[in-house]
């Protein structure tokens, strides 16, 4: 006698508990598969879901009829009824898997209707089959003699039939295996095998060691696909949450960029607009004087016009920046642009008592750049320098110089004697929104860097200490025929002027 045939203790609660769990697991699996069918419309899934419904219901009916489970002689019928429900359970499920494997490529159109029809058919089939094995049991072969422990030869035959159906299902599924679900159904069928084998090989079946083990495997088989489906669903939800978070972050970033762009424009437009309004107010005052000081009014209007032109040029420059147009790039002299920027800033520099020093080398190689954009950068550097020098009480000197590196670049340096920067501030100076000023936006340097890098140049902080800062703009030359005459200019009209 084999170890599997050894009769174990008759634990009556074992079967009802285990098979109720199997029933619940199968019905949940069926529900999940019906949901999947409603999304994918694969007819094979519908058949599989129907197979799980049959499996769950027949497992439960078998438990109800099983002597010693819910009642000493079963809630209805006798040992043979329970045995035939077992047969239905063990044949409908692998049969459904066979149909599933054969119908894998078929798709349906109206999923909702098909689910309804499938459930109705399954319920009808369950009712008919249940009636057959209960009211018509006397027409079926007897499977047990001597209570619930000894099988008849007919039972042996039925067991071998069940084993063959299981093996056929396994073979067909294995030959058509394509998806993860197929893989786990194969695992399920393999876990079901001990159930068939134990039933087919052992004469004394119930409550033997083999019987208990086989039922344990049946539980594993029943929960396999359920576990996979639940795990897949959880992963899908996790991925969905990730996608939603990413989507939100991207939206926030886009809003940030928009915010940054509008802030940058506001930042750059504020200066000329303030200059226009200040000059307008001054013009109004001078025009109210008697006699009217026409010369001053004219100067104010000229300043207003120049502010308006600067604003207009800036707007055009920004549009080009966004369009990444390069038509306005021409070969220009770096010092020319620097001189223009100084001219534009002269009133502000004079008002703040700042001494301007220039050292522009003559005949430097031209650079290839957008004049307006380059001017914006120099203006921003000068504006920062003025603010830095306003924060100290020492000498106020702004020095602009150009030089040629002898190979491929022309460098403009903007040096001030302002409050300087700490090493930590230098690290973050070009990071958007980094500012140490109460009314600052921290966008100036970031935009400047974007513009210079857009020209294949470099904007860097060459020196930053308590004595002040040196910013350097390095631009690639447009041609390579430099002449290196130096013209040092501490021009009289560049020198300190009125407050
Ligand atoms: P904002 O001027 O609006 O603060 P910027 O991008 O122009 O923005 O500058 C960022 C920060 O870099 C400033 O807040 C300041 O702390 C520092 N900075 C820039 N230029 C100078 C300078 N010439 N001297 C000292 N600090 C400077």
């Amino acid at each position: 006698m084999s170890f599997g045939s050894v009769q174990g203790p008759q634990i009556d609660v074992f079967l009802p508990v285990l098979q109720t769990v199997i029933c619940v697991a199968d019905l949940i699996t069926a529900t999940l598969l019906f949901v999947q069918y409603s999304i994918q419309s694969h007819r094979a899934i519908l058949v599989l879901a129907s197979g799980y419904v049959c499996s769950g219901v027949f497992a439960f009916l078998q438990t109800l009829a099983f002597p010693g489970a819910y009642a000493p002689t079963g809630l209805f019928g006798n040992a043979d009824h329970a045995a035939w429900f077992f047969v239905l359970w063990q044949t409908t499920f692998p049969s459904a898997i066979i149909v599933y494997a054969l119908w894998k490529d078929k798709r349906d159109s109206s999923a909702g209707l098909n689910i309804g029809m499938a459930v109705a058919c399954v319920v009808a089939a369950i009712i008919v089959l249940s009636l057959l094995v209960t009211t018509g049991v006397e027409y079926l072969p007897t499977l047990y003699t001597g209570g619930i422990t000894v099988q008849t030869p007919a039972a042996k035959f039925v067991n071998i039939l069940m084993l063959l159906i299981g093996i056929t299902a396994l073979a067909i599924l294995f030959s058509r295996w394509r998806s993860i679900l197929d893989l786990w159904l194969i695992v399920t069928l393999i876990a079901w095998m001990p159930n068939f084998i134990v039933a087919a090989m052992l004469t004394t079946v119930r409550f033997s060691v083999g019987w208990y083990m086989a039922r344990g495997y049946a539980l594993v088989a029943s929960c396999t696909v359920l576990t996979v489906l639940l795990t897949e669903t959880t992963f899908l939800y996790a991925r969905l949450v990730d996608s939603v978070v990413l989507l939100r972050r991207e939206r926030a970033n886009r809003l940030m960029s928009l915010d940054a762009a509008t802030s940058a424009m506001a930042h750059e437009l504020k200066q000329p607009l303030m200059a226009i309004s200040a000059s307008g107010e001054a013009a109004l005052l001078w025009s109210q004087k008697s006699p009217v000081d026409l010369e001053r009014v004219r100067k104010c209007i000229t300043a207003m016009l120049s502010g308006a032109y600067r604003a207009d040029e800036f707007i055009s420059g920004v549009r080009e920046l966004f369009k990444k147009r390069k038509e306005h790039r021409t070969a220009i002299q770096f010092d020319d642009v620097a001189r223009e920027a100084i001219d534009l800033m002269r009133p502000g520099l004079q008002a703040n008592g700042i001494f301007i020093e220039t050292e522009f080398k003559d005949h430097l190689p031209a650079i290839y750049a957008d004049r307006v954009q380059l001017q914006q950068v120099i203006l921003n550097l000068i504006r920062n320098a003025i603010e830095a020098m306003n924060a100290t009480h020492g000498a106020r000197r702004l020095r602009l110089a150009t030089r040629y590196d002898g190979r491929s670049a022309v460098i403009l340096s903007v040096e001030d004697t302002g409050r300087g920067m700490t090493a930590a501030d230098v690290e973050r100076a070009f990071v958007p929104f980094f500012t140490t000023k109460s009314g600052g936006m921290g966008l100036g340097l970031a935009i400047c860097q974007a513009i210079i890098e857009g020209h294949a140049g470099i904007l860097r902080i060459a020196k930053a200490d308590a004595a002040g800062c040196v910013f350097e703009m390095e631009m690639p030359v447009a041609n390579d025929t430099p002449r290196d005459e130096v013209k040092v200019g501490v021009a009289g009209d560049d020198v300190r002027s009125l407050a």
Side-chain angles (χ1 to χ4, degrees):
M1 193 170 76
S2 70
F3 176 70
S5 307
V6 174
Q7 196 65 24
Q10 183 172 338
I11 306 169
D12 288 330
V13 290
F14 176 77
L15 198 84
V17 170
L18 183 115
Q19 292 198 178
T20 306
V21 172
I22 288 178
C23 170
V24 172
D26 280 354
L27 292 181
I28 295 174
T29 309
T31 311
L32 291 175
L33 288 170
F34 278 130
V35 172
Q36 210 169 80
Y37 170 76
S38 70
I39 299 163
Q40 296 183 348
S41 303
H42 282 158
R43 201 180 295 173
I45 303 276
L46 188 62
V47 175
L48 191 65
S50 308
Y52 268 100
V53 174
C54 290
S55 170
V57 173
F58 287 134
F60 189 62
L61 290 176
Q62 194 231 359
T63 321
L64 293 184
F66 195 88
Y70 284 115
T73 54
L75 282 181
F76 66 89
N78 55 34
D80 253 16
H81 291 119
W84 279 109
F85 275 122
F86 180 78
V87 173
L88 289 178
W89 173 23
Q90 304 288 313
T91 48
T92 48
F93 181 68
S95 304
I97 290 189
I98 292 174
V99 181
Y100 161 86
L102 296 175
W103 279 5
K104 269 157 83 68
D105 302 322
K106 296 207 185 324
R107 272 178 177 271
D108 291 331
S109 47
S110 53
L113 188 70
N114 290 343
I115 292 175
M117 274 166 42
V119 172
C121 289
V122 168
V123 171
I126 289 172
I127 293 170
V128 170
L129 290 171
S130 302
L131 286 174
L132 182 74
V133 300
T134 48
T135 54
V137 76
E138 61 265 32
Y139 305 108
L140 296 170
T142 305
L143 300 179
Y144 280 93
T145 55
I148 55 166
T149 48
V150 184
Q151 289 186 354
T152 62
K156 262 248 178 235
F157 174 76
V158 172
N159 284 335
I160 290 170
L161 195 76
M162 288 193 297
L163 181 63
L164 286 178
I165 295 177
I167 290 171
T168 312
L170 191 60
I172 295 177
L173 192 58
F174 199 79
S175 66
R176 300 171 67 93
W177 162 22
R178 276 203 303 264
S179 65
I180 292 282
L181 183 59
D182 294 351
L183 172 73
W184 288 105
L185 280 174
I186 289 172
V187 174
T188 304
L189 281 173
I190 291 172
W192 267 60
M193 282 300 149
N195 238 357
F196 306 127
I197 295 167
V198 165
M201 310 299 283
L202 311 176
T203 10
T204 307
V205 176
R206 292 187 177 178
F207 305 116
S208 62
V209 173
W211 182 84
Y212 278 115
M213 282 174 64
R215 287 303 153 100
Y217 279 114
L219 179 67
V220 172
S222 196
C223 295
T224 306
V225 170
L226 177 62
T227 312
V228 172
L229 288 175
L230 289 178
T231 314
E232 279 278 300
T233 314
T234 313
F235 275 126
L236 271 177
Y237 270 111
R239 257 179 269 156
L240 199 73
V241 169
D242 279 354
S243 315
V244 169
V245 170
L246 276 176
L247 219 70
R248 281 199 190 145
R249 204 175 297 158
E250 205 205 321
R251 245 188 75 200
N253 281 349
R254 258 194 244 153
L255 287 176
M256 265 284 270
S257 322
L258 199 69
D259 194 35
T262 40
S263 304
M265 284 193 254
H267 179 79
E268 293 299 331
L269 282 174
K270 218 166 130 190
Q271 279 268 330
L273 289 178
M274 277 172 68
I276 291 170
S277 56
S279 303
E281 278 167 17
L284 212 60
L285 283 176
W286 290 121
S287 67
Q288 282 163 359
K289 285 253 157 80
S290 178
V292 176
D293 191 337
L294 277 177
E295 183 51 28
R296 287 190 192 260
V297 173
R298 194 183 61 77
K299 275 187 179 166
C300 290
I301 292 172
T302 311
M304 285 167 70
L305 282 175
S306 120
Y309 292 141
R310 267 167 57 204
D312 181 54
E313 280 181 347
F314 167 73
I315 290 168
S316 310
V318 168
R319 285 180 59 209
E320 279 155 29
L321 186 69
F322 282 113
K323 286 180 187 168
K324 289 193 162 58
R325 273 171 41 187
K326 296 189 175 171
E327 297 97 304
H328 285 83
R329 292 191 186 177
T330 49
I332 48 174
Q333 291 296 322
F334 215 166
D335 50 330
D336 283 351
V337 190
R339 269 185 241 273
E340 285 167 13
I342 291 173
D343 283 341
L344 285 170
M345 291 302 290
R346 196 178 301 281
L349 288 162
Q350 288 176 342
N352 287 289
I354 292 168
F355 179 88
I356 310 162
E357 188 181 317
T358 58
E359 189 182 328
F360 296 135
K361 291 182 183 177
D362 273 344
H363 309 299
L364 283 175
I367 56 169
Y368 194 71
D370 182 320
R371 180 180 283 269
V372 175
Q373 287 185 343
L374 220 56
Q375 204 182 73
Q376 291 297 326
V377 176
I378 302 171
L379 286 175
N380 197 79
L381 294 182
I382 295 177
R383 223 173 283 140
N384 274 349
I386 295 173
E387 286 168 0
M389 288 189 279
N390 279 345
T392 59
H393 300 293
R396 295 178 172 202
R397 188 171 57 87
L398 177 74
R399 182 174 183 275
L400 270 75
T402 49
R403 68 174 194 276
Y404 175 57
D405 75 350
R407 280 169 295 127
S408 57
V410 181
I411 296 144
L412 170 73
S413 60
V414 179
E415 187 179 344
D416 65 62
T417 53
R419 61 175 183 81
M421 291 168 89
T422 63
D425 287 357
V426 171
E427 289 258 324
R428 290 175 296 167
F430 297 101
V431 175
F433 302 110
F434 168 73
T435 181
T436 54
K437 301 165 196 167
S438 55
M441 271 190 272
L443 286 168
L445 288 180
I447 294 171
C448 291
Q449 192 175 49
I451 291 174
I452 298 299
E453 285 179 358
H455 284 79
I458 299 167
L459 177 63
R460 60 175 167 253
I461 301 172
K463 190 199 116 196
D465 53 29
C469 291
V470 181
F471 281 82
E472 281 187 347
M473 295 161 64
E474 186 178 303
M475 295 289 288
V477 296
N479 60 62
D480 48 7
T481 50
R483 274 176 287 152
D484 206 11
E485 295 167 25
V486 181
K487 187 179 97 184
V488 177
V490 184
D493 64 341
D494 278 345
V495 182
R496 172 196 303 273
S497 193
L498 326 170

